[in-house]
Amino acid sequence: MSLLIRSSYLSQPRNSKPSSLASDQTPSKLVSTSSFNHNPLVRLVSKRNPTMQNLTFPSPTTVKSSLIDPDGGELVELVVPESETKLKKAESMPKVKMTKIDLEWVHVISEGWASPLKGFMREDEYLQSLHFNSLRLKDGSLVNMSLPIVLAIDDHTKEHVGVSKNVALVSPQGDIIGSLRSVEIYKHNKEERIARTWGTTSPGLPYVEEHIAPSGNWLIGGDLEVFQPIKYNDGLDHYRLSPKQLRREFDNRKADAVFAFQLRNPVHNGHALLMNDTRKRLLEMGYKNPILLLHPLGGFTKADDVPLDVRMEQHSKVLEDGVLDPETTIVSIFPSPMHYAGPTEVQWHAKARINAGANFYIVGRDPAGMGHPTEKRDLYDPDHGKKVLSMAPGLEKLNILPFRVAAYDTVEKKMAFFDPSRAKEFLFISGTKMRTYARTGESPPDGFMCQSGWNVLVKYYESLQESDESSKQQQAVVSA
Amino acid sequence: MSLLIRSSYLSQPRNSKPSSLASDQTPSKLVSTSSFNHNPLVRLVSKRNPTMQNLTFPSPTTVKSSLIDPDGGELVELVVPESETKLKKAESMPKVKMTKIDLEWVHVISEGWASPLKGFMREDEYLQSLHFNSLRLKDGSLVNMSLPIVLAIDDHTKEHVGVSKNVALVSPQGDIIGSLRSVEIYKHNKEERIARTWGTTSPGLPYVEEHIAPSGNWLIGGDLEVFQPIKYNDGLDHYRLSPKQLRREFDNRKADAVFAFQLRNPVHNGHALLMNDTRKRLLEMGYKNPILLLHPLGGFTKADDVPLDVRMEQHSKVLEDGVLDPETTIVSIFPSPMHYAGPTEVQWHAKARINAGANFYIVGRDPAGMGHPTEKRDLYDPDHGKKVLSMAPGLEKLNILPFRVAAYDTVEKKMAFFDPSRAKEFLFISGTKMRTYARTGESPPDGFMCQSGWNVLVKYYESLQESDESSKQQQAVVSA
């Protein structure tokens, strides 16, 4: 079921200039032509002129392993070679038990998605992340880091660690999976962390309720070592390509541009429109072989989101159906858990994709957003995500591609970019609305999603109802 | 009663190297000498090596108007020359009525304390401030900007402004005091603003209750013009030196270092110790004429803080008494309102002093902090202020001088730097404790504050009790 369909290599040499670019034309000039101004890339890369280095091609003599450097210059990899020796040493260290989400972060850090972060944050890093959404490196430069990547421990564990310099990290299943070296323990002010990360302290934030509220009052930071690559054994591990593997894959494919699409929902034709349109624009700009990184988030998601395995099956159908071109698409799982922290989180989503080798990032309406947990409104202004992303420190080298929202055009009977001049002819199908369709067995409007993909969702919601009914029956038996 | 006691000019030329510096010794090397390492400046400027330009003296041929450049390179000044013409034009514009605190911000912006900010923030600036505590300039560099400086309007005013490009700003007394040009109106999400600025949404935050909660649901940004310098006519205006005036004064005094001390409380001998110690250290480093900017905050403060006029009288006594040296001290009022937003606000306090020409900034325990409004704890970790300040983007050119806390040494009978090895011999006298002493007429321990300064406080609290009793008597008459 692998979607890693390898395209035959194209003849265009990776490092040459796109042929449509005359020598006195820089790509940034091309970007501002009128044909491009009318397209749905509402804020253009030309606005980011000081950082257009990704659009200027390296000279043929330059040999680079990828299109964009990882943050900090070098990809962090923390899976240690002599794992046997290390494991033995770790057995004598104080143990820190982790949750499933902690382990997802270990995965993220160990593969370098958070480069140059080398472990769970110490207090200096935590404070910079919380206040500045960035980290200052020793050379004075900034990298983006909008989410605190931290490990919480309770009073008992803190006492147990005592003055030990190093601790062993234990998976929820009880296995020692790595260690944290030269640790620092500091206070976990949950209220402040939540307020500064989400811009609200309202009850009902999924990540907070699942992960932060039940966690301990201390944070432990240090340098991470992992003894084995993190695996989930859920039949999807082959989709979990590390940043290093992805970079190699882009090179193998001789990609001259990589555009990443972050998602946590099934792919509908609106998403496809946006991705295909990006590719078209990149080709018009002179790129010969732009590759799409379709990059569903694989870590924690809220209970009413569609589970990862169902989404991966749905994505598979979308590619089989040809809605997206398998020849120029790589589907892989992004192992991060989801915060639903809107403008703060979208920076993390973009930053991690730099480390994976993407030099273009697509951002739509209200990225990483959700409804306010207690009020009848979006938690974030739907435009703030793309605005904040386009101004974020440390993301200057990434080309941000903000898109107008796509909606169902009831006249053309297809997903199209929303045209405010005929607003009434558009139908907005939210995630909630889509799930309601699927749950009730009702079909969405023709052209909303390819049929085979839709069937995956219907099947999933049917199975939910069945298990729901059988649990109701069981409850009835119990209460009878 | 002016405290601007002008020292006779010293013979040392301003731009020459301090005589104790050999030609191969940079001041940064001197900073790390062992004598300096044992002093209470717990984290030294030597940690900020990449940005030590303030410690390297300009060559004698360089002519600079000050020791440190304003943020953005040029001091913003928004009091317009042709005020008559401008005023006439403004009379035809839609009017925006301001509160007392709004007017304090107009004062702050118009004199360039917030340079390079040229008016109330538009949304791009607001978002950068809220998420990154900094603003990116056109040249790609960052300046610090941790507090959103914004003007709120209600639905009615928004409708009234309509599509007008420019609006007139009206003081609480009904006078047109300036205009805002090329305005932009955007949503005022109070919850998000509060959460990201204070790290809590708890009820009881003084600035929030006084200013944000009652304000409108929209923010209006634009370029500010002010027709007259802002005056308060409270007998203290002569203390209100603008950044430009302060810079001129430092030049007149031939200061070769300016160290700023922000305060909103009466000066006790612990503060004095810290300021005098800083001066001593700067002299040891080779500076010939370090000048202290004693810079009490003059805008909004919470109800139980000591009012500005009383503080100014108290500061005056402290200088008359010789606790601080009038020859090397400038006392001036910083016109900003107080947020009590701890690590977020201390950046603003430091940044504004850059614009006023200070190149050293003293920071102590829990700057701009207060007790949590609803929980029995400090709202902020007392160490976070100095940590965040020392890492803040845009403050690299400022030398941060973090201090250990001073407390009353019951053995030596004086204020001294706290020595943890004999913790029991120290008495911490908080602001609340100090106010209780003054209110109950009890004397604080000998050596806590000079007697003449203390008398000012006692007199103030007596007057409070008198007015309290007379209002009780009046109430008794009314209810009788």
Side-chain angles (χ1 to χ4, degrees):
Chain A
M1 202 180 72
S2 170
L3 293 180
L4 263 172
I5 301 155
R6 284 161 208 264
S7 64
S8 54
Y9 296 155
L10 301 182
S11 55
Q12 168 74 15
R14 190 171 60 84
N15 286 335
S16 68
K17 266 193 182 157
S19 57
S20 68
L21 294 181
S23 60
D24 63 339
Q25 281 183 308
T26 63
S28 63
K29 279 182 193 161
L30 279 185
V31 171
S32 59
T33 59
S34 62
S35 73
F36 204 72
N37 279 339
H38 291 297
N39 82 53
L41 290 152
V42 285
R43 194 127 54 112
L44 294 175
V45 285
S46 62
K47 287 201 80 170
R48 301 171 65 84
N49 259 333
T51 59
M52 291 296 286
Q53 64 266 39
N54 303 303
L55 286 179
T56 59
F57 286 72
S59 73
T61 55
T62 314
V63 178
K64 295 194 72 182
S65 66
S66 56
L67 302 165
I68 187 167
D69 280 341
D71 278 346
E74 209 173 322
L75 201 59
V76 167
E77 288 176 284
L78 303 169
V79 183
V80 294
E82 326 126 56
S83 57
E84 278 301 314
T85 331
K86 298 274 187 179
L87 180 59
K88 264 187 195 151
K89 273 195 188 162
E91 275 163 1
S92 66
M93 296 175 190
K95 312 279 182 297
V96 170
K97 188 78 180 271
M98 297 189 301
T99 67
K100 195 163 166 261
I101 291 179
D102 292 333
L103 194 61
E104 289 170 2
W105 282 120
V106 167
H107 184 180
V108 164
I109 303 167
S110 68
E111 291 186 344
W113 298 95
S115 292
L117 198 69
K118 290 194 168 66
F120 285 103
M121 291 179 175
R122 298 192 180 89
E123 194 175 36
D124 272 3
E125 293 160 330
Y126 170 70
L127 288 173
Q128 289 180 74
S129 166
L130 215 53
H131 288 272
F132 315 132
N133 288 4
S134 60
L135 299 180
R136 186 183 298 278
L137 307 187
K138 277 183 186 159
D139 66 2
S141 67
L142 292 179
V143 294
N144 191 267
M145 187 58 77
S146 60
L147 292 183
I149 300 183
V150 287
L151 180 60
I153 56 174
D154 59 18
D155 297 2
H156 176 77
T157 307
K158 177 176 183 280
E159 203 175 313
H160 175 59
V161 173
V163 295
S164 300
K165 272 182 132 182
N166 309 316
V167 302
L169 298 177
V170 179
S171 75
Q173 291 75 34
D175 305 317
I176 294 181
I177 57 95
S179 68
L180 218 50
R181 329 282 297 190
S182 309
V183 298
E184 179 187 296
I185 297 178
Y186 55 101
K187 275 186 218 141
H188 187 194
N189 183 332
K190 297 180 191 179
E191 181 191 47
E192 184 175 8
R193 176 182 172 197
I194 295 163
R196 295 196 193 277
T197 305
W198 279 270
T200 176
T201 56
S202 169
L205 298 169
Y207 188 88
V208 171
E209 303 219 323
E210 176 72 24
H211 190 58
I212 298 182
S215 73
N217 290 320
W218 305 93
L219 298 173
I220 183 166
D223 296 328
L224 179 69
E225 285 185 338
V226 176
F227 303 145
Q228 295 283 338
I230 307 295
K231 295 291 167 199
Y232 297 76
N233 303 312
D234 56 356
L236 301 172
D237 279 332
H238 62 286
Y239 279 125
R240 294 190 175 89
L241 301 193
S242 69
K244 189 179 182 179
Q245 290 170 314
L246 283 170
R247 284 175 167 264
R248 202 180 292 139
E249 182 61 24
F250 300 142
D251 284 354
N252 286 344
R253 295 219 192 182
K254 301 202 189 311
D256 58 3
V258 173
F259 57 111
F261 190 70
Q262 143 75 30
L263 74 172
R264 64 167 212 270
N265 275 314
V267 173
H268 59 59
N269 288 347
H271 299 136
L273 170 65
L274 198 145
M275 292 183 264
N276 288 327
D277 196 81
T278 301
R279 180 172 161 76
K280 198 175 129 208
R281 302 302 166 184
L282 290 172
L283 290 169
E284 281 173 11
M285 282 163 72
Y287 291 98
K288 288 297 171 193
N289 190 26
I291 294 289
L292 164 63
L293 172 60
L294 184 68
H295 215 192
L297 178 139
F300 165 80
T301 49
K302 61 190 166 70
D304 64 345
D305 276 358
V306 178
L308 181 63
D309 57 341
V310 180
R311 285 186 279 135
M312 293 313 290
E313 196 184 339
Q314 194 269 354
H315 299 344
S316 172
K317 297 297 179 195
V318 168
L319 273 113
E320 281 174 22
D321 205 81
V323 176
L324 292 173
D325 176 14
E327 292 290 310
T328 56
T329 302
I330 291 175
V331 184
S332 179
I333 291 174
F334 174 48
S336 172
M338 187 79 198
H339 274 58
Y340 305 92
T344 302
E345 185 167 26
V346 71
Q347 296 172 66
W348 160 243
H349 288 170
K351 180 242 161 68
R353 273 52 177 245
I354 290 179
N355 285 330
N359 56 346
F360 287 85
Y361 186 84
I362 299 173
V363 56
R365 184 189 177 277
D366 199 18
M370 54 175 254
H372 193 288
T374 60
E375 298 170 23
K376 276 204 168 175
R377 59 171 177 95
D378 286 329
L379 180 50
Y380 304 106
D381 182 310
D383 288 330
H384 279 188
K386 61 180 75 130
K387 285 182 183 170
V388 166
L389 191 62
S390 72
M391 300 186 290
L395 297 184
E396 300 81 4
K397 61 184 173 182
L398 184 66
N399 295 294
I400 311 289
L401 304 170
F403 263 83
R404 273 199 278 135
V405 65
Y408 187 74
D409 184 334
T410 56
V411 176
E412 299 286 330
K413 297 207 180 305
K414 63 174 189 181
M415 294 300 285
F417 291 111
F418 177 65
D419 176 356
S421 72
R422 46 189 197 90
K424 284 186 179 168
E425 296 170 12
F426 282 87
L427 185 65
F428 281 89
I429 302 174
S430 65
T432 312
K433 180 81 182 163
M434 182 184 73
R435 289 190 289 266
T436 310
Y437 280 136
R439 205 164 30 234
T440 57
E442 194 184 342
S443 282
D446 196 34
F448 171 72
M449 188 185 286
C450 69
Q451 192 59 48
S452 58
W454 183 252
N455 292 343
V456 174
L457 298 187
V458 171
K459 194 179 70 185
Y460 163 66
Y461 280 103
E462 278 173 3
S463 77
L464 270 194
Q465 274 176 329
E466 278 163 23
S467 75
D468 201 35
E469 272 163 29
S470 90
S471 80
K472 268 186 199 157
Q473 282 171 355
Q474 281 180 341
Q475 282 181 339
V477 171
V478 170
S479 46
Chain B
M1 201 179 78
S2 171
L3 292 181
L4 263 170
I5 301 156
R6 282 158 212 265
S7 63
S8 53
Y9 296 153
L10 302 181
S11 56
Q12 168 74 13
R14 189 170 61 84
N15 285 335
S16 68
K17 265 192 182 156
S19 57
S20 69
L21 294 180
S23 61
D24 63 337
Q25 281 183 309
T26 62
S28 63
K29 277 182 192 159
L30 281 186
V31 172
S32 59
T33 58
S34 61
S35 74
F36 205 71
N37 279 340
H38 291 296
N39 83 53
L41 291 152
V42 287
R43 195 126 54 110
L44 295 175
V45 284
S46 62
K47 288 201 82 169
R48 302 170 67 83
N49 258 334
T51 59
M52 291 296 285
Q53 63 265 38
N54 304 302
L55 287 179
T56 58
F57 287 72
S59 74
T61 55
T62 313
V63 178
K64 294 194 73 184
S65 67
S66 57
L67 302 164
I68 188 167
D69 281 341
D71 278 348
E74 209 173 324
L75 199 59
V76 167
E77 288 176 283
L78 303 168
V79 183
V80 294
E82 328 125 56
S83 57
E84 278 301 314
T85 332
K86 297 275 187 178
L87 180 59
K88 265 190 195 151
K89 272 195 189 164
E91 275 163 1
S92 67
M93 297 174 189
K95 312 280 181 299
V96 170
K97 187 78 180 271
M98 297 189 301
T99 67
K100 195 165 165 256
I101 291 180
D102 291 333
L103 193 61
E104 290 170 2
W105 281 121
V106 167
H107 184 179
V108 164
I109 303 166
S110 68
E111 291 187 342
W113 298 95
S115 292
L117 197 69
K118 290 194 168 64
F120 285 104
M121 291 179 173
R122 298 192 179 88
E123 193 175 37
D124 273 3
E125 293 160 329
Y126 171 70
L127 289 173
Q128 289 180 75
S129 166
L130 215 53
H131 287 273
F132 315 132
N133 289 4
S134 60
L135 299 180
R136 187 182 297 278
L137 306 187
K138 277 183 186 159
D139 67 2
S141 67
L142 292 179
V143 294
N144 191 267
M145 187 58 77
S146 60
L147 292 184
I149 300 182
V150 288
L151 180 60
I153 56 174
D154 59 18
D155 297 3
H156 176 76
T157 307
K158 177 176 183 282
E159 204 174 310
H160 175 59
V161 173
V163 296
S164 300
K165 273 182 132 181
N166 309 315
V167 301
L169 298 178
V170 178
S171 76
Q173 290 75 33
D175 305 317
I176 293 181
I177 56 96
S179 68
L180 217 52
R181 328 282 298 190
S182 308
V183 298
E184 180 187 295
I185 297 178
Y186 55 102
K187 273 186 218 143
H188 187 194
N189 184 333
K190 297 180 192 179
E191 181 191 46
E192 185 174 7
R193 176 182 171 195
I194 295 163
R196 294 196 193 278
T197 304
W198 279 270
T200 176
T201 56
S202 168
L205 298 169
Y207 188 88
V208 171
E209 302 219 324
E210 176 72 23
H211 190 60
I212 299 182
S215 72
N217 290 319
W218 304 94
L219 297 173
I220 183 166
D223 297 327
L224 179 68
E225 285 185 337
V226 176
F227 304 146
Q228 296 283 339
I230 306 294
K231 296 292 167 200
Y232 297 75
N233 303 313
D234 56 355
L236 301 172
D237 279 332
H238 63 286
Y239 279 124
R240 293 189 175 92
L241 301 192
S242 69
K244 189 180 182 180
Q245 290 171 314
L246 283 170
R247 285 175 166 264
R248 202 181 294 141
E249 181 62 23
F250 300 141
D251 285 353
N252 286 343
R253 295 218 191 183
K254 303 201 189 311
D256 59 1
V258 173
F259 56 112
F261 189 71
Q262 143 75 32
L263 75 171
R264 65 167 211 271
N265 276 314
V267 173
H268 60 58
N269 288 346
H271 300 135
L273 170 65
L274 198 145
M275 291 183 265
N276 287 328
D277 196 82
T278 301
R279 181 172 160 75
K280 197 175 129 206
R281 302 301 168 185
L282 290 172
L283 289 170
E284 281 172 13
M285 283 162 72
Y287 290 99
K288 288 295 172 196
N289 190 26
I291 295 289
L292 164 63
L293 172 61
L294 183 69
H295 216 190
L297 178 138
F300 165 79
T301 50
K302 61 190 168 70
D304 65 345
D305 277 358
V306 179
L308 181 63
D309 56 343
V310 180
R311 284 186 279 134
M312 293 313 291
E313 196 185 339
Q314 195 269 351
H315 299 344
S316 172
K317 297 297 179 197
V318 168
L319 273 113
E320 281 174 22
D321 203 82
V323 176
L324 291 174
D325 176 15
E327 292 291 310
T328 56
T329 302
I330 292 175
V331 185
S332 178
I333 292 174
F334 175 48
S336 171
M338 188 76 200
H339 274 57
Y340 305 91
T344 301
E345 185 168 26
V346 71
Q347 297 171 67
W348 160 243
H349 288 171
K351 179 239 161 66
R353 271 55 176 244
I354 291 178
N355 286 331
N359 57 346
F360 287 86
Y361 186 84
I362 299 174
V363 57
R365 183 188 178 277
D366 200 17
M370 55 174 252
H372 193 287
T374 59
E375 297 170 24
K376 277 205 169 176
R377 60 170 176 96
D378 285 331
L379 180 50
Y380 304 106
D381 182 311
D383 288 330
H384 279 188
K386 62 179 74 129
K387 285 183 183 169
V388 166
L389 191 61
S390 72
M391 300 186 290
L395 297 184
E396 301 82 4
K397 62 183 171 181
L398 184 65
N399 294 294
I400 310 289
L401 304 171
F403 262 84
R404 273 199 277 133
V405 65
Y408 187 73
D409 184 333
T410 56
V411 176
E412 299 287 330
K413 298 208 180 306
K414 62 174 190 181
M415 295 299 286
F417 291 112
F418 178 66
D419 177 356
S421 74
R422 44 187 198 91
K424 284 185 181 168
E425 295 170 12
F426 282 87
L427 185 65
F428 282 89
I429 302 174
S430 66
T432 311
K433 180 81 182 162
M434 183 185 70
R435 289 190 288 266
T436 309
Y437 280 137
R439 204 166 30 234
T440 57
E442 196 184 341
S443 282
D446 196 35
F448 172 71
M449 188 185 286
C450 69
Q451 193 59 48
S452 57
W454 183 251
N455 293 343
V456 173
L457 299 186
V458 172
K459 194 180 68 182
Y460 164 65
Y461 281 102
E462 278 173 3
S463 76
L464 271 194
Q465 274 176 329
E466 278 163 22
S467 75
D468 203 35
E469 272 164 30
S470 92
S471 81
K472 268 185 200 158
Q473 282 172 356
Q474 280 180 340
Q475 280 180 340
V477 171
V478 169
S479 46

